Amino acid sequence: MDEQLNYAPCGFVTLTEVGSIVSINETLLNLLDYREDELQNQHIHNILSSPARIFYEMYFFPIIKMEKKVEEMYLSLRTSTGEKIPVLLNAKQTQREHSTVIDCVFIPVRKRDEYENELLIAKKEAEAALYAKNQTNAELEITLKKLEAKQAELVELNKENQKYKLDTSKELELARKIQETSLTDSIDNEHIEIQAYYKASSQLSGDIYGFYQIGSHRYGIMILDVMGHGISSALITMSLQSLFQRLISKGFTPEHVMSELDHYLHFLFHNNEETRHYCTAFYLLVDTYKEQIEYINAGHPPALLQDASGNLTELSATSPPVGLLDGVVFQSKTLPYENGSKLLLYTDGVEDPIEEDPRLPTLLKANSNAPLSTIKEKLVAEISHEKNAYHKNDDQCFILVSLK
């Protein structure tokens, strides 16, 4: 890196195609309080705040793959001491020396929020003053008459709406029962224990899960979250559940399972881009004989693997979400596990993506020796607490696995 770029008044990072740091300039190292050897070849997640990690996987990664550049993306970096620094990110994907790299420029914007709030307050005050000045008594009288007429219309519409809501509520309740009936039961044997929790934010959910025994020593575990909520997402969720149940039960590889889900969503919306839906998904294949797990994370929140000593490993995204981009090649990762390990897979309604201090790792570490039933009870109590209002607006779904 030349001298001017190394000490430029902005941060500069070059990444590999999968997000590993190739080079980083002195300006950014000083800002984050790191040495170059501490970050060289490390994943970009190491200098991103918790919400920025999810933002990177859900938005930055798909956009840079599709458009080859990202302009003015607002996120936060994390220093070596844990301080959060807001920055503007500009990035460009280029071909260099027979490899694809991503050049990123980070511009600190610590005062941005303060200035924007001041401008918004000033704008609202000016608009309120202008409205008060222009609103005359004659206009108020006209408005009052219009409101009276609208009120009469609303009374009639309300009567019709009450009947429609009653009929619709019955239909949605039946659909909810059908959706919940399709969920798989817990598994508990000498090799593995699997428990799950599922709660829709409304009557129908865009989250779904399933786990299935394949032969004598293999288990397929799937969790996914379709974009959006309500009837449309629930319909897509149910069709995907039927597909992955059939594929997993027949013992297909994780690559084949994800590819088929991806092809299905592209086929479903190939004639109407405006209605296109995509989903994040995590498929994990456990082999209790080989004591190894094989997984693909398609833009989903990272699963947590806890070893017998209580140490945690994040199983981060390995590909973009399913149905988002054309021509995605899904590749699985494989790693061994030791007896006594645990796994937690979850959707974003369980862990708030804007939370700076995620609670799931803390909860697992505090209960590393507890049985799954105890961990499940504490996790449900945590996400059901009144102070966690965020979770009331999203579907909640998680899977706990004990590898015996």
Side-chain angles (χ1 to χ4, degrees), residues 256-301:
H256 185 81
V257 172
M258 284 298 192
S259 294
E260 287 297 311
L261 294 179
D262 188 63
H263 292 159
Y264 176 77
L265 283 181
H266 281 291
F267 173 77
L268 200 60
F269 301 105
H270 73 282
N271 287 327
N272 195 338
E273 287 295 324
E274 293 182 359
T275 62
R276 177 178 292 277
H277 281 62
Y278 66 86
C279 73
T280 65
F282 196 114
Y283 179 52
L284 185 141
L285 183 63
V286 179
D287 190 319
T288 58
Y289 179 76
K290 296 180 180 178
E291 294 187 353
Q292 70 177 26
I293 60 176
E294 183 180 3
Y295 72 93
I296 294 178
N297 182 344
H300 202 73

Side-chain angles (χ1 to χ4, degrees), residues 13 27-28 100 135 153 183 294 317:
V13 173
T27 302
L28 190 55
T100 301
Q135 187 75 346
E153 292 179 16
L183 299 174
E294 183 180 3

Side-chain angles (χ1 to χ4, degrees), residues 32-52:
L32 301 178
D33 195 24
Y34 277 106
R35 300 190 313 274
E36 183 176 5
D37 62 331
E38 292 177 315
L39 296 178
Q40 190 75 26
N41 298 321
Q42 297 297 311
H43 197 274
I44 186 68
H45 279 183
N46 287 286
I47 61 171
L48 295 178
S49 65
S50 294

